[in-house]
Amino acid sequence: AVVSTQSTGSYQLSKVGCKLVVKNFTSDIKDSEVYAHLLVAVCPEDKGPIGLEPLNKFFQIQDMTKRAEMVLEHAAAIDARSFVRARDIVSGIQKLNFAFVEILFN
């Protein structure tokens, strides 16, 4: 399941022109950049789109916890918020981050 999710994630990232590759759900996601791009890729038409303006603001934020909070706010806006907290993303807790990605894809 992890390989399938990583493949789906890579496909979704490439759809929005992102060259990041997810090899794990720990260090590769701690800065929330992958999540920001995935949210753009998976945002349903009736909820968005989440465009480049929020991404530009996102990339100006240096604090990783604030970035994670912004990702979770956008996830909530597309009904994809889960039990994951900003500190879970920043800490790179693999199981919780894997579950969050699965929620984004569903």
Side-chain angles (χ1 to χ4, degrees), residues 5-60:
T5 300
Q6 287 171 333
S7 297
T8 302
S10 294
Y11 169 74
Q12 294 293 338
L13 291 170
S14 69
K15 275 183 20 180
V16 294
C18 178
K19 298 192 183 335
L20 296 172
V21 176
V22 178
K23 294 180 183 172
N24 63 65
F25 291 95
T26 55
S27 60
D28 287 352
I29 51 79
K30 285 183 173 188
D31 64 4
S32 297
E33 287 189 35
V34 167
Y35 286 144
H37 288 288
L38 283 177
L39 284 167
V40 171
V42 303
C43 183
E45 288 183 28
D46 66 331
K47 300 285 184 180
I50 298 172
L52 293 177
E53 186 175 317
L55 274 184
N56 289 336
K57 181 180 177 186
F58 173 85
F59 291 121
Q60 293 173 2

Side-chain angles (χ1 to χ4, degrees), residues 29-40 50 54-55 58-59 61 64-78 80-82 84-86 89 97 100 104:
I29 51 79
K30 285 183 173 188
D31 64 4
S32 297
E33 287 189 35
V34 167
Y35 286 144
H37 288 288
L38 283 177
L39 284 167
V40 171
I50 298 172
L55 274 184
F58 173 85
F59 291 121
I61 299 170
M64 290 198 307
T65 301
K66 288 183 181 177
R67 281 183 170 199
E69 288 169 355
M70 189 173 180
V71 161
L72 294 172
E73 287 172 15
H74 280 44
I78 62 169
R81 179 70 192 252
S82 70
V84 175
R85 297 168 298 195
I89 293 172
N97 282 291
F100 182 50
L104 289 177

